[in-house]
């Protein structure tokens, strides 16, 4: 880590380094000549705050997940960690794969239901093959129709219609699979360099509606092995998140480990991810629900391969960037089509708004979550870059035909593979790259989501930021000393003051420039109705922000689609500003989060078309606008 | 007796017997005609029962065991017949499975001994790069924004560099253009420099002279003038600190080597010709890697 905060850049450390320099010795005399003989240069010295974000993926499936295995994934948890660390691997489709640069952390999150099912099925287990389903899946996979089997497994799973002999917690097959997962994480974990979290996905698919959560352990296998993951199949498990939270409480009590859960793909939950009326009881959510949700679920996965869950054009008609990588045809297994009235209860921005409302009624805000992005890759490969995208499942690893294959199909709808989104990663502002530091940063929501690019995004809120804070070379110092970082809280505005925000974004060192930084505000108005408004706070290229706080001039487009290239001739490498809420009412609850928009770049489909020499149909988008979403800062009167 | 002669069943038996006789004579010596033995040994029955027990957590009942045995017999007969009909030929699933089984055979040739300390130390000594710490850099940088300075960038950089060389210890906070990255990095591992400034920038730090201002150095953001104060090569840690990692690597290497040896020994039994792709001279030299 670039250890500015430890303040070790002193003459003493320079002088003591004579044994190890490889190009000339730096003695004290030279050092004095080169560096001023003053207290440590570094103003960070003495501050213990995060100086760089760590990038990772909290959501990768391997062959240990029954559907991933059926889809053809042959790489296990060990491979997933190796790949994330930057090693070159052979993907399940037989082609070499490597990340542009290593990730800092990874969670292997295989489905807890049926851990070890796939190895059992593939070994031709007689009991499993004696069931009609087991028999059918085995034959489908053996005859190269793994995709069919996988969809059938997912669908059967959604209907809780699984064969006898399916491995359940408590059986030896289940135990040994869980121990393998733990061992792979503990082996790959390398404090200070790479963090390998132990985790799993609790895949609640009630009636085909996606209520999935990833559960992450702060601790090592010594504690995680004292328990087995929670599943969704009754009687051992349950599809109701309340039961997951109970299990999490029990887990912490029993093992002394700390755990948190991250929900994802509300966009495929058909209005059930952020309920006001609980789907399981038909009753309004209560204080107990709110307390548990906010305690156990500090983060939400807002972007991933199965689409973006920030907001929807019907919910945010004034948001030009809302129509981004939409998956809004139906629920996860396409058994129930989407209705407009469902949207409010499945997109993150609407949930943040409803959270303010519920807080006034329940005393607790159930939807007080920060943001991360992750891939939900089922290939063991955490790829989120458009020029290096290995798809959702092994069947959609790069090939000339992948874009035009259906990803999932039912009698009601079809989602094509070209609709997969090359996204995203989780950025965590932690003081060091360890399980403990990253987990704690996730708990305090000091995180943001990106759709792939490793942008650096800062966001601080307070009442005393002024323009000069944006002009210092170390805005983070002002940020942490005068305000709170993303994920934090502002209370009781001083008389006559409005919240001010220090906002900065730096492009990915090997990525595209930035178009603009926006602040998205949501609030509960005087009449108890929730509202939202978008402000452009910093824009590139000297464009004007109008009196309404908007910049209606587009940044332009430098994408050459046939060649799948772009140039950084538009946009800015870095944008920074201090912004003050021009319409603040100290009596009203509000939240603010930042959205950073990149200039247009080629979408993975354009890279495919170029590489394989394809002409893709008109409906396939060939450019994208990558982005980052920070965790909100909340204002509570 | 007359009644018997009229009995259709007798006709059937006689006729059948005659046909069988003819068939038998025509195919004498052909093993297809002779019924083959399928003996289900008590060992096999035990294996079936154990498999059942592992799944169901209880031994099979007599009825279930009979079912398992019947299934086994059926599978055996169908498998044998399928092989006779050549159904195993050109089936990629079966070939892949066979290949997988051969991988298991190859495992038998792997040196399974626990590596000794001497072997581990030797492996570490031979592959220091694999276990060495990252190279570390202590440096200051001044950023110059190409977008802001345009055509003046090179001239600005040269002028600033001259100034810095004359007065290397001057304050730098006010120099150059702002950038969200630190102006100063202390003992930063190369991978962290790469994560923040990009790989090209991190790599060029290894080329710079120590204790003087140099540049301009390119990054994804623009150009930088850099004062490299110190460059520390990563130490190779003592065996005790990386024992598990060395052991894993050594065992992996042994496996890969044994697998390759095993495959090479098989490859030696073949003369491989690839038509139309490789020049003929190279075909016998063809190196095929296991896995």
């Amino acid at each position: 880590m670039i250890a500015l905060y430890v303040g070790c850049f002193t003459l003493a450390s320079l002088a003591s380094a004579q044994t190890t320099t490889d190009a000339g010795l730096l003695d004290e005399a030279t050092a004095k000549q080169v560096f001023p003989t003053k207290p440590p240069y570094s103003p960070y010295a003495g501050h213990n705050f995060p100086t760089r974000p760590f990038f990772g993926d909290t959501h990768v499936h391997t062959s240990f997940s029954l559907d991933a295995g059926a889809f053809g994934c042959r790489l296990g948890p060990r491979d997933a960690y190796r790949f994330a660390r930057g090693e070159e691997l052979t993907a399940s489709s037989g082609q070499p794969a490597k990340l542009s640069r290593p990730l800092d952390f990874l969670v292997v999150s295989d489905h807890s239901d049926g851990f070890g099912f796939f190895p059992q099925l593939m070994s031709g287990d007689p009991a499993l093959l004696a069931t009609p389903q087991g028999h059918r899946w085995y034959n489908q996979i053996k005859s190269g129709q793994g995709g069919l089997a996988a969809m059938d497994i997912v669908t059967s799973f959604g209907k809780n219609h699984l064969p006898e002999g399916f491995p359940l917690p408590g059986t030896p097959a289940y135990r040994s699979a869980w121990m393998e997962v733990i061992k792979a994480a503990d082996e790959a974990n390398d404090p200070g360099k790479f963090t390998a979290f132990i985790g799993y996905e609790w895949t609640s698919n009630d009636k085909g509606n996606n209520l999935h959560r990833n559960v992450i352990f702060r601790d090592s296998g010594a504690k995680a092995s004292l328990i087995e993951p929670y599943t969704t199949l009754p009687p051992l498990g349950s599809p109701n998140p309340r039961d997951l939270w109970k299990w999490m409480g029990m887990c912490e009590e029993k093992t002394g480990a700390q755990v948190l859960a991250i929900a994802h793909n509300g966009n495929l939950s058909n209005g059930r991810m952020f309920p006001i009326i609980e789907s399981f009881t038909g009753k309004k959510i209560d204080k107990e629900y709110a307390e548990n949700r906010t305690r156990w679920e500090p983060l939400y996965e807002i972007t991933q391969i199965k689409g973006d869950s920030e907001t929807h054009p019907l919910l945010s008609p004034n948001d030009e960037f809302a129509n981004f990588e939409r998956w809004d045809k139906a629920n996860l297994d396409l058994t129930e089509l989407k209705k407009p009235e469902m949207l409010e209860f499945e997109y993150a921005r609407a949930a943040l708004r409803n959270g303010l409302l519920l807080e006034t009624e329940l005393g607790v805000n159930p939807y007080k979550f920060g943001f991360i992005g992750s891939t939900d890759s089922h290939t063991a490969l955490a790829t989120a870059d458009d020029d290096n995208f290995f798809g959702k499942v092994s069947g959609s690893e790069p090939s000339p035909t992948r874009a035009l294959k259906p990803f999932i199909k039912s009698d009601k709808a079809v989602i094509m593979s070209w609709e997969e989104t090359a996204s995203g990663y989780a950025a965590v502002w932690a003081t060091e790259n360890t399980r403990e530091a990253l987990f704690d940063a996730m708990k305090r929501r000091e995180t943001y989501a990106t759709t792939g690019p490793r942008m650096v995004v800062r966001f601080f809120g307070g009442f005393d930021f002024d323009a000069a804070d944006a002009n210092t070379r170390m805005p983070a110092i002002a940020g942490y000393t005068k305000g709170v970082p993303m994920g934090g809280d502002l209370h009781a505005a001083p008389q006559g003051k409005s919240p001010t925000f220090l906002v900065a974004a730096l492009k990915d060192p090997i990525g595209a420039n930035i178009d603009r930084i926006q602040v998205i505000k949501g609030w509960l108005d005087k009449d108890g109705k929730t509202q939202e408004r978008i402000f452009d706070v910093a824009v590139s290229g000297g464009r004007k922000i109008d009196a309404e706080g908007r910049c209606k001039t587009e940044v332009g487009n430098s994408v050459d689609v046939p060649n799948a290239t772009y140039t950084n001739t538009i946009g800015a490498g870095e944008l920074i500003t201090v912004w003050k809420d021009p319409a603040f009412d100290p009596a009203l609850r509000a939240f603010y989060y930042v959205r950073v928009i990149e200039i247009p770049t080629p979408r993975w489909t354009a890279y495919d078309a170029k590489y394989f020499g394809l002409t893709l149909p008109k409906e396939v988008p060939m450019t994208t606008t990558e982005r980052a979403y920070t965790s909100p800062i909340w204002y509570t009167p | 007796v007359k009644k018997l002669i009229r009995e259709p069943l007798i006709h059937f038996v006689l006729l059948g017997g005659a046909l069988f006789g003819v068939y038998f004579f025509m195919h004498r010596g052909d093993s297809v005609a002779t019924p083959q033995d399928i003996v289900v040994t008590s060992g096999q029955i035990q294996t079936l029962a154990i498999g059942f027990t592992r799944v169901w957590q209880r031994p099979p009942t007599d009825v279930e065991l009979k079912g398992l045995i019947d299934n086994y017999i059926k599978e055996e007969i169908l498998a044998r017949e399928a092989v006779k009909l050549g159904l195993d030929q050109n089936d990629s699933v079966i070939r892949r499975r066979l290949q997988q089984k051969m991988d298991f055979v190859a495992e038998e040739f792997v040196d399974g001994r626990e590596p000794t300390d001497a072997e581990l130390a030797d492996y570490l000594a031979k592959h220091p790069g694999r276990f060495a710490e990252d190279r570390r850099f202590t440096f200051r940088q001044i950023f110059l924004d190409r977008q802001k300075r345009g055509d003046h960038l090179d001239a600005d950089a040269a002028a600033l560099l001259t100034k810095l060389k004359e007065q290397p210890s001057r304050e730098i906070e006010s120099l150059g253009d702002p950038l969200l990255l630190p102006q100063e990095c202390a003992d930063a591992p190369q991978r962290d420099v790469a994560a923040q400034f990009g790989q090209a920038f991190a790599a060029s730090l290894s080329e710079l002279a120590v204790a003087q201002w140099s540049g301009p150095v390119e990054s994804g953001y623009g150009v930088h003038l850099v004062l490299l104060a110190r460059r520390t090569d990563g130490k190779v840690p003592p065996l005790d600190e990386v024992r598990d990692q060395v052991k894993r690597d050594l065992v992996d290497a042994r496996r890969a080597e044994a697998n390759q040896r095993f495959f090479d020994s098989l490859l030696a039994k073949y003369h491989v010709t690839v038509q139309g792709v490789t020049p003929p001279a190279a075909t016998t030299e063809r190196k095929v890697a296991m896995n």
Side-chain angles (χ1 to χ4, degrees):
Chain A
M1 125 130 270
I2 297 196
L4 287 173
Y5 56 86
V6 295
C8 59
F9 192 75
T10 62
L11 293 175
S13 72
L14 286 173
S16 68
Q18 296 195 345
T19 48
T20 43
T21 32
D22 73 336
L25 298 178
L26 187 65
D27 55 33
E28 198 164 339
T30 322
K32 270 188 180 150
Q33 191 196 341
V34 174
F35 294 100
T37 50
K38 284 206 299 187
Y41 174 88
S42 173
Y44 291 96
H47 294 279
N48 187 21
F49 55 69
T51 55
R52 62 166 278 214
F54 293 100
F55 290 96
D57 190 333
T58 63
H59 195 176
V60 168
H61 294 266
T62 75
S63 61
F64 279 44
S65 286
L66 50 94
D67 54 345
F71 272 125
C73 180
R74 293 294 174 269
L75 302 177
R78 262 189 194 81
D79 302 307
Y81 288 120
R82 280 175 52 208
F83 183 76
R85 295 198 66 157
E87 284 184 43
E88 182 171 317
L89 291 190
T90 302
S92 301
S93 54
Q95 45 196 325
K98 191 180 178 196
L99 285 173
S100 65
R101 53 226 137 123
L103 289 171
D104 298 308
F105 67 92
L106 184 77
V107 185
V108 167
S109 57
D110 283 309
H111 301 293
S112 63
D113 287 279
F115 256 158
F117 167 78
F118 197 72
Q120 190 190 0
L121 180 66
M122 288 315 286
S123 67
D125 182 80
L128 206 51
L129 261 57
T131 66
Q133 282 170 298
H135 194 242
R136 185 171 68 242
W137 295 337
Y138 182 80
N139 285 339
Q140 282 173 332
I141 292 163
K142 286 288 184 190
S143 61
Q145 295 179 301
L148 273 182
M151 286 328 301
D152 196 21
I153 291 170
V154 172
T155 312
S156 309
F157 191 77
K159 296 174 181 153
N160 192 4
H161 178 59
L162 287 162
E164 286 187 64
F166 194 77
L168 298 170
T171 62
Y174 196 91
R175 175 100 203 138
S176 81
W178 175 233
M179 292 309 290
E180 281 286 301
V181 169
I182 288 175
K183 214 171 135 202
D186 278 355
E187 271 177 22
N189 191 49
D190 191 355
K193 292 179 191 154
F194 180 80
T195 296
F197 282 108
I198 298 167
Y200 68 88
E201 180 180 315
W202 174 80
T203 310
S204 167
N205 233 19
D206 200 40
K207 302 188 186 70
N209 301 311
N210 186 316
L211 293 176
H212 305 180
R213 265 90 169 163
N214 288 318
V215 176
I216 302 174
F217 286 76
R218 182 179 191 262
D219 307 84
S220 74
K223 286 180 180 170
S225 60
L226 299 176
I227 199 160
E228 285 175 17
Y230 194 58
T231 54
T232 67
L233 290 179
L236 287 174
S238 152
N240 189 334
R242 282 180 186 256
D243 294 317
L244 174 69
W245 302 329
K246 263 184 220 147
W247 178 90
M248 292 171 81
M250 186 274 288
C251 168
E252 290 202 344
E253 206 163 290
K254 180 175 168 187
T255 67
Q258 286 188 50
V259 286
L260 61 79
I262 305 175
H264 66 89
N265 279 120
N267 58 343
L268 302 172
S269 75
N270 273 10
R272 287 161 176 88
M273 180 54 85
F274 304 109
I276 288 184
I277 305 295
E278 258 183 287
S279 59
F280 293 90
T281 58
K283 288 188 195 142
K284 198 159 184 185
I285 64 167
D286 55 15
K287 191 172 181 189
E288 189 192 337
Y289 181 100
E291 277 172 345
N292 278 298
R293 178 122 187 190
T294 201
R295 171 177 178 197
W296 298 113
E297 304 190 6
L299 299 175
Y300 179 64
E301 184 185 300
I302 193 172
T303 174
Q304 64 132 278
I305 297 174
K306 291 202 305 294
D308 196 81
S309 292
E310 186 209 5
T311 190
H312 189 282
L314 291 179
L315 296 171
S316 306
N318 299 323
D319 185 345
E320 303 85 343
F321 295 100
N323 194 20
F324 178 67
E325 301 288 341
R326 292 272 73 79
W327 282 44
D328 60 358
K329 289 171 186 153
N331 54 358
L332 179 60
D333 61 3
L334 308 184
T335 50
E336 184 191 21
L337 291 178
K338 188 78 69 199
K339 300 188 191 87
E341 61 269 26
M342 295 170 175
L343 300 171
E344 181 188 340
F345 307 106
E346 55 180 44
Y347 281 86
R349 190 188 296 172
L352 291 173
R353 285 169 57 175
N354 282 336
L356 300 180
L357 180 66
L358 289 163
E359 188 176 22
T360 59
E361 295 172 16
L362 302 171
V364 182
N365 180 350
Y367 304 128
K368 194 170 183 177
F369 47 75
F371 295 137
I372 54 107
S374 280
T375 60
D376 195 3
S377 142
H378 279 55
T379 60
L381 310 173
T383 61
D385 291 336
D386 282 84
D387 63 353
N388 191 24
F389 180 51
F390 272 66
K392 165 79 182 168
V393 294
S394 298
S396 48
E397 288 178 5
S399 80
T401 52
R402 69 164 165 172
L404 295 179
K405 281 186 203 162
F407 169 70
I408 178 169
K409 208 160 124 181
S410 75
D411 54 347
K412 295 192 169 70
V414 57
I415 295 174
M416 299 296 289
S417 294
W418 59 258
E419 296 182 67
E420 291 174 19
T421 310
S423 175
Y425 288 134
V428 178
W429 284 107
T431 47
E432 57 177 15
N433 187 1
T434 60
R435 282 172 171 168
E436 297 77 17
L438 291 173
F439 186 96
D440 294 348
M442 291 181 187
K443 272 291 227 195
R444 64 175 187 264
R445 302 177 291 248
E446 201 174 342
T447 62
Y448 57 98
T450 95
T451 54
R454 304 196 195 173
M455 296 179 234
V456 177
V457 184
R458 289 286 201 184
F459 181 42
F460 298 98
F463 292 98
D464 298 313
F465 288 114
D466 52 42
D469 293 321
N471 294 328
T472 68
R473 290 297 166 90
M474 274 110 1
I477 291 178
Y480 281 103
T481 47
K482 290 166 81 172
V484 295
M486 56 185 74
D489 284 291
L490 295 176
H491 297 282
Q495 189 65 37
K497 287 203 170 183
S498 294
T500 53
F501 297 90
L502 176 56
V503 195
L506 176 68
K507 81 176 189 81
D508 182 328
I510 59 169
N513 275 348
I514 293 161
D515 165 4
R516 64 183 72 203
I517 304 180
Q518 304 180 305
V519 171
I520 309 226
K521 180 186 177 186
W523 71 98
L524 191 62
D525 70 15
K526 283 194 176 69
D527 306 321
K529 290 217 161 51
T530 68
Q531 306 289 350
E532 69 179 56
R533 186 171 163 189
I534 297 165
F535 298 92
D536 292 309
V537 301
V539 297
S540 66
R543 286 172 291 160
K544 289 277 172 291
I545 297 172
D546 64 24
E548 293 299 301
R550 300 307 315 272
C551 170
K552 299 287 186 189
T553 322
E554 287 183 14
V555 71
N557 190 342
S558 66
V559 178
D560 172 353
V561 171
N563 288 309
T565 56
Y566 67 96
T567 59
N568 274 333
T569 45
I570 54 172
E574 175 180 303
L575 290 173
I576 182 165
T577 194
V578 167
W579 177 79
K580 185 174 181 177
D581 182 357
F584 178 66
D585 181 338
L588 304 178
R589 288 166 202 279
F591 65 82
Y592 304 83
Y593 69 88
V594 161
R595 184 168 67 181
V596 181
I597 305 281
E598 256 190 11
I599 62 170
T601 46
R603 196 175 180 269
W604 69 268
T605 39
Y607 289 101
D608 263 34
K610 164 80 173 130
Y611 185 85
F612 295 113
L614 310 173
T615 309
L616 294 174
K618 277 217 162 46
E619 71 264 27
V620 181
M622 302 300 263
T623 61
T624 185
T625 48
E626 307 262 20
R627 58 205 48 210
Y629 307 110
T630 73
S631 292
I633 292 173
W634 285 265
Y635 171 74
T636 314
Chain B
V1 179
K2 267 190 182 170
K3 213 177 178 184
L4 266 181
I5 291 170
R6 283 203 193 135
E7 179 57 55
L9 182 67
I10 297 298
H11 296 168
F12 182 75
V13 168
L14 286 177
L15 210 63
L19 273 174
F20 183 76
V22 170
Y23 187 83
F24 184 78
F25 272 98
M26 285 175 70
H27 292 266
R28 219 168 11 168
D30 183 346
S31 62
V32 174
T34 46
Q36 305 165 68
D37 292 328
I38 289 181
V39 182
V40 185
T41 64
S42 58
Q44 273 152 343
I45 295 172
Q46 215 172 350
T47 309
L48 293 171
I50 288 170
F52 184 96
T53 311
R54 200 182 308 134
V55 175
W56 297 99
Q57 304 298 307
R58 61 166 176 81
T61 63
D62 288 351
V63 178
E64 284 163 343
L65 190 61
K66 183 177 179 306
L68 290 175
I69 295 168
D70 287 351
N71 258 341
Y72 174 80
I73 295 167
K74 189 176 168 195
E75 178 186 303
E76 181 65 23
I77 291 172
L78 291 178
R80 286 191 198 184
E81 292 301 315
V83 169
K84 276 181 215 158
L85 292 171
L87 298 184
D88 55 333
Q89 305 294 310
N90 298 322
D91 181 322
S92 60
V93 175
I94 291 171
R95 287 164 67 97
R96 222 174 295 149
R97 183 78 185 121
L98 289 173
Q99 190 193 333
Q100 214 175 43
K101 288 191 161 187
M102 285 303 273
D103 288 347
F104 289 126
V105 173
E107 282 292 298
E108 295 297 312
F109 295 88
V110 175
D111 183 353
R113 286 178 305 112
E114 187 79 353
T116 65
D117 267 14
E119 285 168 331
L120 291 175
D122 181 55
Y123 190 79
L124 177 59
K126 282 188 180 138
H127 304 90
R130 217 176 280 184
F131 306 98
E133 303 278 339
D134 243 19
R135 183 174 279 195
R136 287 171 180 272
F137 301 98
T138 298
F139 66 95
R140 286 179 180 180
Q141 60 86 17
I142 296 169
F143 174 66
L144 296 167
D145 192 339
R146 179 166 279 127
Q147 244 177 356
K148 204 170 278 178
R149 293 175 189 261
D151 293 341
H152 300 288
L153 181 78
D154 293 342
D156 289 357
L160 187 54
L161 187 60
T162 312
K163 230 190 273 178
L164 286 165
K165 280 188 167 165
E166 283 164 8
Q167 208 188 336
S169 59
R170 63 175 294 165
E171 285 288 355
I172 60 166
E173 199 184 334
S174 56
L175 301 178
D177 302 314
L179 183 71
L180 273 179
L181 297 177
Q183 281 196 300
E184 182 173 286
C185 289
D187 248 351
Q190 182 156 356
R191 63 171 182 281
D192 287 347
V193 178
Q196 292 199 294
F197 291 85
Q199 265 145 0
F201 179 90
S204 34
L205 290 188
S206 290
E207 313 295 324
L208 300 184
V210 174
Q212 70 180 54
W213 280 98
S214 12
V217 179
E218 289 274 346
S219 80
Y221 301 107
V223 305
H224 307 253
L225 301 179
V226 179
L227 170 62
L228 181 67
R230 190 165 88 208
R231 180 164 53 214
T232 315
D233 268 341
K235 273 184 299 193
V236 178
L239 179 59
D240 278 341
E241 279 174 30
V242 285
R243 181 180 301 273
D244 286 351
Q245 212 184 327
V246 174
K247 196 164 120 188
R248 264 202 306 278
D249 270 31
L250 174 57
V251 169
D252 279 357
R254 278 182 181 171
R255 172 173 297 121
E257 205 180 296
N259 283 350
Q260 188 63 47
R261 250 200 326 270
F262 173 69
F263 181 69
D264 285 344
S265 71
L266 297 179
L267 183 64
K269 295 199 245 174
Y270 293 83
H271 180 253
V272 182
T273 311
V274 181
Q275 288 182 336
V277 183
T278 323
T283 50
T284 49
E285 302 280 337
R286 195 169 178 81
K287 190 85 184 151
V288 183
M290 187 96 174
N291 300 323

